[in-house]
Amino acid sequence: MSWAWVEVKPNENDLLHPGHLACQGCGATITARLALKVFGKNAVFVIPASCWSVIDGAWPQHALQIPVFHTAFETAAIAATGIRAALDMKGRHDVHVVAWAGDGGTFDIGLQALSGAAERNENIIYITYDNEAYMNTGIQRSSSTPLGAWTTTTPDERPEDRPKKNMMEILAAHRVPYAATASIAYPDDFIRKLKKATQIKGFRFIHVFSPCPPGWKMASNLSVRVARMAVETKVFPLYEIEDGEVYTITHWPKGLPVEEYFKLQGRFKPVLKDPERLAYVQRYIEAQWERLVRLHEASHGYLPEEARATLRSAI
Amino acid sequence: MAKKYDFRASELPISPMTLTTTLENPTGGWRSFKPVIKNKTAPCTATCPTKVLIPHFIDSLVKGDLDMAANLLHRNNPFPSITGRLCHAPCELPCNRGKYDEPISIKQLERFVGDYHLDRKGKPPRRETGKRVAIVGGGLAGMSAAYYLRSKGHEVVIYDRNPNLGGYLRYYVPEYRLPLAVLDAEVGALERMGVKFVLNTEVGKDVSFDELKEKYDAVILAHGSSRPYTPDFPGVDLLRSGWDLMKEVREGARPKISGRVAVLGNGYTAFEVARVLRRLGADPFVVYPTAKIRIPFSDREIFTLAEEEGVKFFFAKVPLKADRRNGKVILTVAEWDGKAVVPATEHEMEFEEVFLAYEGTADHGFLPDTIRSNGTLKADRRSGETPLEGVFVAGESVSGPSPVVNVIYSGRSVAAAVDAYLRGRTYTPENMPEVVGYERIVTDYFPKAPRVPEMRLSPTERIHSLTREEVLGYTQELAMKEAERCFNCGFCNACGNCYVFCPDYTIKWVHGRPKVDYEYCKGCGVCSEECPRGVIDMVKERDF
């Protein structure tokens, strides 16, 4: 893993003021801080109902030092489209319009607006900070909740039995110019993807893994470590899709067993207690990873040396 | 406290707009634990007898600031070129990187920085204190004490009975281990600093101890353990002195010795004499009083080198008698169980020559009885204070034969005690903050990389030369490569992880260093968890 300093410049574009209302160790605020480091002052955030509409502060306070438009839950993409059109009319082509939604506003409620904007290839950047449930309203299951996780609506007796919705595949099916996953634990990778996104015209989608210490039942100091383990256990691979066709894995994980990731969090306690279910989850993750690696291979024609060690079939 | 807003309806904007930032919420009140950025001690520094600031100088080396690296290194070790060649490197044993892949080659990095700085060092102090200190003996302890006292601004005069400084290192340690040029450069640096030398002058013979005590504000006795110990058994006068052999060879003589020869000894000198004999063409056997596993760690390296070169060993054996028959020496040896001779194990061995190479003992003959007791000195081991006011003891004269780095530390700590005495302060030994263990290192940030091997001549190359240095130093490129492996345990090298990962932007970047803004810090602990080198601690602030 390379150093954070590779891409991050100290004291440049620190546009998130302290005193915001996020919980201790919030991954979503790290996501916003890093994103603003790339966008600078030249950005408008469109925030639907989500954690971030709370984090930004109660009126008349405001943590982000850029214009923010708070909007209804299902309208992040379409509101951003409207602001884009208005700015284009005014000739402000240099401003990035960023739809900044949580996983609920992206995977469930905002999906049709998102699909419409993606299909029309609107010139906006859509960033979803994914904490894998409706954390703001009290940890209810969303379609982003992963296999085996506890939430208040999927209690310990009956943990989540459906896998996480594969949002990247949905976006790829829209043939958008750029879609990528990123993690707060790999700031250089995240910032590189953001920089790449700012240079592309059209609909750009970035899916950022942002741990939520209260919702995931873990200590607040673990949020970055958990995000790192999610990548290293292949639970959340870092990759990008260009034009819906070209898959590129940007970080080759160590391929640790999934327990390493699960044992840091309280929400996976029912899975950890049930070896059969754990084996099933592991098999599912391996299959998903193998599929992704084959897509990478199909896109590029070869696999790098580090890929072999991560494949179960190679072991 | 948050400001109160009081608007009349007509003043309100048409749509709700923010007017101020969240800086009005001092979220520091949410906190139960607070992060404290505090440099700690690395295990290498904690183990080093003279507490060299190892992570600090390696960090400067990584950043390419060789002069800064040299300054940090010289803060606690005045002669890194010497320790980089002769030190037994206890620092590399507890290295946290050793638990991950391989320990850092600290000794070689020290040597690289020391050699880089060798011709640059030796600046006179900025201010003179006007106090005068005499040092008896210009060996390593005396040189080390002189370096630190002179850099504090005292006038330092070294008395030595030999024509040049360096003691054992100059007259006995062979050229292939420590080139004379390195020692000359170190002595030259002392000279440039303004240390005065009174050479060819033996205290007690040419000048009396009382005279020194009268003329100087403080006297440091660093006469070392320079008298070779001679055991007492019948026929010991038939044997030759290994010390004299080393001295001859160091001066350039190449005596012809061949065939089976024995070396009697109990430490470094015995191994070194055997290696010199091997290079002269003989077939040496070392008769060593303890078992192989009981060789102290400080002699392990030289033992391995000797073994590689074909020196043979008789372990756990002591000589009882020597005799000369038909031009050969017949040595009677017996098993030694650590306390006494094992009965009925005596047997004879035949050698061409037998060399005595026992470690030296101290000669305190010139000193008054008030500070002597039973052949040792009454002195504090750390500060070197003796019952006589203004008289201090440093180095092997009080500790007995010791590794070079311990001798350097003795000189340094006694210099600190003398400095305190001359300024009328009380000497407080330095204490080390908490040591960083392996569990505090976040190894995910460090890719695995093998240790850069030191370039050492092969045994066959080694035994053909008495002058060619046996270990070659790193080049700058290799030194950088090796330095980059260092975890810098407990030393904040401004990697920026805490700043990047702070969810609240309460860790600010001020003058290239992190600084916590406690007014807003919510105490989540991400910085502490993500600090790769365990610098940030979470300190409990209140009960909850």
Side-chain angles (χ1 to χ4, degrees):
Chain A
M1 183 175 177
S2 55
W3 290 102
W5 263 177
V6 175
E7 296 281 352
V8 183
K9 297 279 181 299
N11 294 338
E12 188 185 273
N13 292 336
D14 275 320
L15 297 174
L16 169 66
H17 272 185
H20 59 68
L21 303 180
C23 315
Q24 281 109 325
C26 179
T29 49
I30 303 177
T31 315
R33 256 196 83 196
L34 293 172
L36 284 174
K37 284 222 166 247
V38 176
F39 296 133
K41 282 250 174 212
N42 256 359
V44 177
F45 270 27
V46 177
I47 302 185
S50 65
C51 283
W52 249 104
S53 48
V54 176
I55 294 168
D56 196 33
W59 186 84
Q61 295 164 5
H62 177 46
L64 293 168
Q65 299 307 297
I66 52 161
V68 170
F69 186 77
H70 287 283
T71 181
F73 218 146
E74 61 277 32
T75 60
I78 194 67
T81 305
I83 291 172
R84 175 82 265 164
L87 286 168
D88 282 348
M89 289 299 285
K90 291 174 87 175
R92 297 295 306 274
H93 300 289
D94 56 326
V95 179
H96 299 290
V97 180
V98 181
W100 186 267
D103 53 293
T106 307
F107 287 60
D108 304 341
I109 300 173
L111 186 58
Q112 72 61 38
L114 167 65
S115 177
E119 181 270 323
R120 291 191 304 275
N121 198 17
E122 297 288 353
N123 187 20
I124 59 169
I125 302 176
Y126 195 107
I127 298 180
T128 175
Y129 61 95
D130 179 10
N131 44 32
E132 305 195 323
Y134 289 87
M135 295 309 180
N136 191 22
T137 50
I139 324 171
Q140 289 88 4
R141 164 196 191 278
S142 78
S143 55
S144 164
T145 305
L147 200 56
W150 164 95
T151 63
T152 52
T153 47
T154 53
D156 277 3
E157 300 78 45
R158 200 189 138 277
E160 174 71 36
D161 55 357
R162 292 293 303 152
K164 182 177 178 137
K165 185 190 274 182
N166 194 333
M167 203 63 203
M168 291 293 284
E169 296 283 304
I170 294 174
L171 266 297
H174 286 80
R175 298 291 180 262
V176 295
Y178 188 70
T181 62
S183 169
I184 56 161
Y186 296 81
D188 48 339
D189 178 77
F190 179 31
I191 286 182
R192 197 185 52 72
K193 283 171 177 164
L194 279 168
K195 280 184 178 160
K196 192 168 176 180
T198 54
Q199 285 153 12
I200 295 171
K201 202 160 178 280
F203 193 86
R204 293 141 284 172
F205 180 81
I206 298 179
H207 179 181
V208 193
F209 192 75
S210 311
C212 170
W216 295 10
K217 302 272 166 256
M218 62 180 188
S220 60
N221 59 345
L222 293 177
S223 50
V224 174
R225 199 164 134 213
V226 143
R228 188 163 59 237
M229 291 318 280
V231 173
E232 297 296 349
T233 54
K234 307 184 280 197
V235 171
F236 190 87
L238 297 182
Y239 62 106
E240 55 191 22
I241 310 172
E242 280 154 290
D243 302 319
E245 308 260 349
V246 184
Y247 283 69
T248 312
I249 295 172
T250 54
H251 176 86
W252 292 93
K254 288 182 193 146
L256 304 174
V258 75
E259 291 103 304
E260 297 287 321
Y261 168 58
F262 282 2
K263 72 183 181 193
L264 297 171
Q265 305 163 51
R267 62 171 176 156
F268 287 111
K269 221 177 248 170
V271 191
L272 284 172
K273 280 183 190 155
D274 185 352
E276 220 168 88
R277 197 185 286 265
L278 184 66
Y280 172 69
V281 173
Q282 180 77 56
R283 271 202 309 281
Y284 174 77
I285 286 162
E286 297 289 350
Q288 289 294 306
W289 172 253
E290 179 131 10
R291 188 169 172 278
L292 186 64
V293 171
R294 294 304 165 211
L295 283 167
H296 176 101
E297 193 180 19
S299 306
H300 295 271
Y302 69 99
L303 277 182
E305 201 47 53
E306 25 320 14
R308 306 252 166 254
T310 63
L311 286 173
R312 194 176 43 157
S313 50
I315 299 169
Chain B
M1 278 300 291
K3 254 191 258 169
K4 279 196 105 176
Y5 291 93
D6 208 4
F7 296 107
R8 259 174 268 144
S10 60
E11 284 172 357
L12 281 172
I14 299 162
S15 65
M17 277 176 71
T18 49
L19 302 165
T20 174
T21 85
T22 48
L23 284 175
E24 286 175 21
N25 300 333
T27 45
W30 300 15
R31 188 171 67 222
S32 315
F33 287 84
K34 71 170 183 182
V36 178
I37 302 174
K38 199 173 78 185
N39 278 357
K40 305 213 186 71
T41 313
C44 48
T45 304
T47 317
C48 175
T50 185
K51 312 292 176 209
V52 173
L53 302 170
I54 292 163
H56 304 51
F57 96 79
I58 293 185
D59 177 54
S60 293
L61 191 57
V62 171
K63 288 176 178 155
D65 191 347
L66 285 168
D67 293 305
M68 189 66 196
N71 285 341
L72 288 165
L73 182 53
H74 281 74
R75 201 171 285 180
N76 285 353
N77 178 3
F79 310 120
S81 291
I82 294 175
T83 48
R85 287 171 173 83
L86 298 180
C87 186
H88 61 294
C91 52
E92 292 178 19
L93 274 183
C95 178
N96 277 337
R97 183 103 199 186
K99 301 184 181 91
Y100 184 55
D101 42 22
E102 287 174 280
I104 306 290
S105 189
I106 299 166
K107 182 175 166 183
Q108 287 298 317
L109 291 178
E110 191 171 271
R111 170 171 167 178
F112 171 74
V113 176
D115 284 358
Y116 163 81
H117 200 58
L118 205 49
D119 300 326
R120 293 170 173 81
K121 69 193 210 181
K123 288 201 178 66
R126 283 194 205 132
R127 213 178 299 154
E128 299 282 345
T129 57
K131 303 277 186 188
R132 304 182 74 217
V133 184
I135 296 175
V136 180
L140 197 54
M143 284 165 70
S144 168
Y147 181 93
Y148 286 109
L149 283 171
R150 185 62 197 147
S151 54
K152 290 265 163 61
H154 305 297
E155 191 188 327
V156 181
V157 183
I158 298 181
Y159 286 81
D160 199 289
R161 63 178 178 193
N162 291 314
N164 209 335
L165 292 196
Y168 187 85
L169 300 186
R170 179 173 293 276
Y171 295 104
Y172 297 100
V173 171
E175 179 79 10
Y176 58 83
R177 243 173 113 66
L178 179 68
L180 218 44
V182 172
L183 194 61
D184 283 338
E186 299 282 19
V187 174
L190 286 182
E191 208 164 8
R192 285 198 295 279
M193 286 173 84
V195 177
K196 297 193 182 78
F197 308 146
V198 181
L199 300 169
N200 297 315
T201 308
E202 192 168 347
V203 177
K205 202 188 275 173
D206 306 317
V207 56
S208 80
F209 174 68
D210 295 321
E211 198 183 322
L212 285 186
K213 222 169 137 314
E214 230 162 78
K215 263 170 75 179
Y216 293 93
D217 297 304
V219 179
I220 297 177
L221 302 169
H223 47 288
S225 53
S226 48
R227 189 180 56 183
Y229 166 76
T230 311
D232 185 23
F233 58 82
V236 74
D237 48 325
L238 294 172
L239 313 181
R240 283 176 63 176
S241 163
W243 284 62
D244 289 349
L245 178 80
M246 270 168 76
K247 195 166 185 173
E248 273 172 48
V249 169
R250 180 62 145 166
E251 279 160 4
R254 296 286 179 268
K256 268 196 139 39
I257 299 166
S258 58
R260 274 164 64 99
V261 292
V263 179
L264 310 180
N266 55 355
Y268 168 80
T269 313
F271 296 121
E272 200 64 83
V273 168
R275 296 177 72 208
V276 167
L277 285 166
R278 188 82 187 96
R279 282 161 177 75
L280 290 170
D283 186 12
F285 291 73
V286 176
V287 180
Y288 197 75
T290 64
K292 188 174 171 180
I293 51 157
R294 296 223 185 271
I295 299 176
F297 174 69
S298 53
D299 292 337
R300 284 263 152 188
E301 190 201 358
I302 186 130
F303 162 70
T304 318
L305 290 172
E307 208 177 29
E308 279 173 6
E309 285 159 13
V311 175
K312 296 177 198 79
F313 296 87
F314 292 118
F315 286 110
K317 282 195 169 53
V318 285
L320 293 182
K321 204 169 71 178
D323 212 351
R324 199 175 268 277
R325 262 182 252 154
N326 308 333
K328 306 226 173 182
V329 182
I330 310 292
L331 193 67
T332 311
V333 298
E335 297 265 329
W336 177 257
D337 67 0
K339 285 176 193 142
V341 170
V342 181
T345 53
E346 296 89 0
H347 56 279
E348 289 187 349
M349 290 195 283
E350 195 183 273
F351 294 106
E352 300 288 328
E353 294 281 358
V354 176
F355 291 88
L356 289 170
Y358 287 90
E359 295 296 313
T361 53
D363 186 359
H364 304 310
F366 65 97
L367 293 172
D369 288 339
T370 40
I371 61 169
R372 279 195 293 167
S373 69
N374 291 338
T376 58
L377 293 177
K378 291 181 205 160
D380 185 80
R381 282 294 274 273
R382 195 172 241 183
S383 68
E385 283 164 349
T386 61
L388 282 178
E389 207 197 319
V391 177
F392 296 77
V393 191
E396 293 189 337
S397 45
V398 60
S399 66
S402 313
V404 280
V405 64
N406 297 44
V407 173
I408 284 176
Y409 171 66
S410 175
R412 182 168 80 80
S413 65
V414 170
V418 171
D419 182 57
Y421 165 77
L422 292 176
R423 291 169 196 268
R425 298 179 194 149
T426 39
Y427 167 71
T428 41
E430 54 195 358
N431 51 350
M432 291 272 123
E434 187 196 338
V435 176
V436 178
Y438 182 60
E439 73 285 349
R440 289 300 306 271
I441 307 293
V442 185
T443 50
D444 293 328
Y445 291 103
F446 302 96
K448 289 214 175 187
R451 175 177 166 127
V452 177
E454 59 178 30
M455 287 178 287
R456 184 177 283 180
L457 302 185
S458 72
T460 28
E461 280 174 309
R462 291 206 296 268
I463 61 170
H464 281 105
S465 176
L466 271 160
T467 48
R468 193 167 159 206
E469 209 176 339
E470 62 186 9
V471 181
L472 310 170
Y474 280 159
T475 59
Q476 182 155 355
E477 193 186 341
L478 288 178
M480 292 292 186
K481 198 173 156 202
E482 180 65 15
E484 274 169 18
R485 294 177 65 237
C486 181
F487 288 161
N488 302 97
C489 312
F491 170 68
C492 175
N493 68 351
C495 72
N497 266 18
C498 50
Y499 167 81
V500 169
F501 290 127
C502 179
D504 296 303
Y505 182 43
T506 52
I507 292 188
K508 311 279 179 194
W509 206 250
V510 184
H511 304 304
R513 302 213 78 77
K515 191 165 181 278
V516 185
D517 184 351
Y518 289 114
E519 201 179 336
Y520 297 103
C521 173
K522 292 174 187 162
C524 65
V526 168
C527 50
S528 171
E529 187 71 23
E530 290 311 306
C531 180
R533 37 190 66 79
V535 172
I536 305 178
D537 277 343
M538 296 306 286
V539 178
K540 196 171 184 182
E541 249 186 344
R542 72 163 87 119
D543 290 322
F544 47 97

